[in-house]
């Protein structure tokens, strides 16, 4: 990468950095990731996120480390439906293994600090008895003994530490009020932490890049329903399935976004959060707000949205008859049967480009990122049509388009047929955005 490419890349990441600041992200890291050669790179990336103001909780596993200690001690693992049967004898080995992994993680973060440039901010890792647990009990006649599940989390204490810009490390152990210790599933624990903290994201690492379809193609995004269908096709219990299940459960119970990433992919965490294409599979919560192509029956709702802005001179006036003729170019966001936002894409095939127009959100729904969601939908339409760029004309919303990646341009870049209708009295500003291939 030459210097100019680096400058452009750094500028392009700025909106993503801003959007992540102050967000709460729970990281779910299996024991295999900690033993992997890429682990120290993951630690460096987590350090970077913390320095950028992201609130981070790291929940780790230790299954391969436990298996290794069991093998050395000549103890055969007992599993029932994917859960370990933890008797009193093996519980000591479990605690030793988890303690060793926890020490390894803390040492890795400390070494990153010592090897950082002078003056670099120190990321303090804190751990503690945040988890109150209870026994799972007997399943199908099998007593799981010291294998437990989360009863309660000390969310207030965790929030306090996050507010102090500390990285919270949670190991898969829980404690009962009577002093017992329980072995927990790190995946179930991470999911519960994300839900109870009302985290903005859960990021689950595994040994694969994400979820794949039947053709072996990577899913970049999955709705909850699509994720559920994908889980139904994959019956194997592995770290990939655990990651996808965790993402599904977290989103199903309120977490807006969850991501499956490959712990062996250097920089996957940064690529997923700070680049447009991402690195893994994102699972997102279904919304009551549906984005779809407009129908003739939506004309009344669209008119209700755009009329106030037409009166203010923000939009060019469109008659109902014209809107009925052009409704096929509109995309709308619907909530409970009402049109709450709209945007239009007018094709200019001769110039291999499209015009973005009429981006409007109802006043009571503004500020929630709905216009940006519509824009993303329009960009996908433009990409499918093979367009190289989008252009838009605006008199009062220039800053918003700049924030969405548009660049200022001259009237001369407009397609000839659009230039011929350009109203110099309105003196609209022209903005252009390239469409990623």
């Amino acid at each position: 990468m030459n210097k100019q490419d680096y400058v452009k890349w750094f500028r392009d990441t700025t909106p993503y950095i801003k959007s992540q600041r102050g967000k709460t992200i729970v990281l779910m890291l299996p024991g295999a990731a900690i033993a992997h050669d890429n682990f120290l790179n993951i630690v460096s990336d987590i350090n970077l996120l913390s320095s950028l103001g992201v609130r981070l909780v790291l929940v780790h596993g230790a299954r391969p480390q436990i298996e290794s200690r069991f093998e050395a001690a000549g103890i055969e693992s007992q599993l029932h439906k994917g859960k370990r049967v933890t008797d009193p004898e093996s519980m000591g080995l479990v605690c030793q293994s988890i303690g060793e992994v926890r020490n390894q993680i803390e040492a890795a973060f400390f070494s990153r600090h010592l090897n950082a440039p002078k003056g670099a901010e120190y990321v303090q890792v804190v751990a503690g008895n945040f988890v109150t647990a209870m026994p799972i009990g007997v399943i199908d006649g099998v007593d799981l003994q010291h294998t437990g599940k989360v009863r309660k989390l000390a969310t207030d204490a965790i929030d306090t530490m996050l507010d102090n810009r500390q990285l919270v490390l949670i190991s898969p152990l829980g404690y009962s009020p009577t002093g017992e210790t329980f072995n927990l599933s790190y995946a179930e624990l991470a999911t519960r932490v994300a839900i109870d903290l009302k985290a903005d994201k859960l990021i689950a690492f595994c040994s694969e890049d994400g979820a794949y379809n039947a053709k072996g193609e990577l899913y970049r995004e999955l709705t909850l329903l699509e994720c559920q269908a994908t889980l139904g096709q994959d019956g194997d219990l592995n770290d990939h399935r655990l990651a996808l299940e965790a993402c599904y459960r977290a989103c199903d119970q309120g977490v807006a976004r969850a991501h499956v990433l490959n712990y062996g992919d250097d920089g996957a965490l940064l690529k997923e959060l700070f680049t447009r294409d991402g690195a893994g599979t994102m699972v997102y919560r279904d919304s009551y707000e549906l984005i779809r192509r407009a129908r003739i029956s939506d004309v009344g709702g669209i008119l209700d949205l755009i009329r106030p802005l037409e009166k203010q001179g923000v939009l060019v006036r469109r008659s109902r008859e014209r809107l009925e003729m052009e409704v096929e170019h509109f995309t709308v966001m619907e909530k409970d049967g009402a049109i709450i936002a709209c945007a239009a894409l007018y094709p200019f095939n001769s110039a291999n480009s499209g015009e973005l127009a009429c981006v409007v959100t109802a006043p009571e729904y503004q500020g929630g990122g709905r216009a940006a969601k519509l824009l993303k939908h329009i960009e996908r339409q433009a990409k499918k049509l093979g367009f190289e760029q989008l252009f838009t004309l605006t008199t009062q919303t220039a800053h918003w388009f700049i924030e969405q990646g548009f660049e200022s341009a001259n009237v001369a870049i407009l397609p000839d047929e659009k230039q011929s209708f350009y109203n110099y009295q309105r003196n609209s500003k022209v903005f252009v955005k390239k469409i990623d291939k």
Side-chain angles (χ1 to χ4, degrees), residues 74-85:
I75 297 176
E76 184 178 349
S77 292
Q78 299 179 57
L79 298 175
H80 180 68
K81 293 189 173 180
K83 296 185 182 296
R84 187 179 304 280
V85 179

Side-chain angles (χ1 to χ4, degrees), residues 23 221 255-257 282 284-292 331-335 340-344 356 359-361 365 367-381 390 400 403-404 406 433:
K23 296 294 179 64
E221 297 180 355
V255 177
R257 298 284 185 271
M282 179 179 75
Y284 62 96
R285 188 155 42 100
D286 294 311
S287 173
Y288 291 113
E289 298 171 1
L290 172 68
I291 296 178
R292 58 172 175 79
T331 296
V332 297
M333 182 178 287
E334 177 186 14
K335 181 175 183 178
I340 63 171
C342 69
L356 173 67
V359 183
V360 183
T361 304
Y365 291 101
R370 293 173 176 84
K373 291 179 183 178
L374 274 174
L375 172 58
K376 186 175 182 181
H377 202 85
I378 294 292
E379 288 179 357
R380 288 174 180 164
Q381 291 180 31
L390 285 177
W400 184 84
E403 291 171 358
Q404 307 308 313
F406 282 77
K433 184 175 184 179

Side-chain angles (χ1 to χ4, degrees), residues 44 47 109-123:
S44 294
N47 265 328
F109 277 99
F110 191 70
S111 68
R112 293 294 92 181
H113 165 64
L114 291 180
N115 295 320
K118 185 177 181 180
E121 186 175 358
Y122 173 51
V123 178

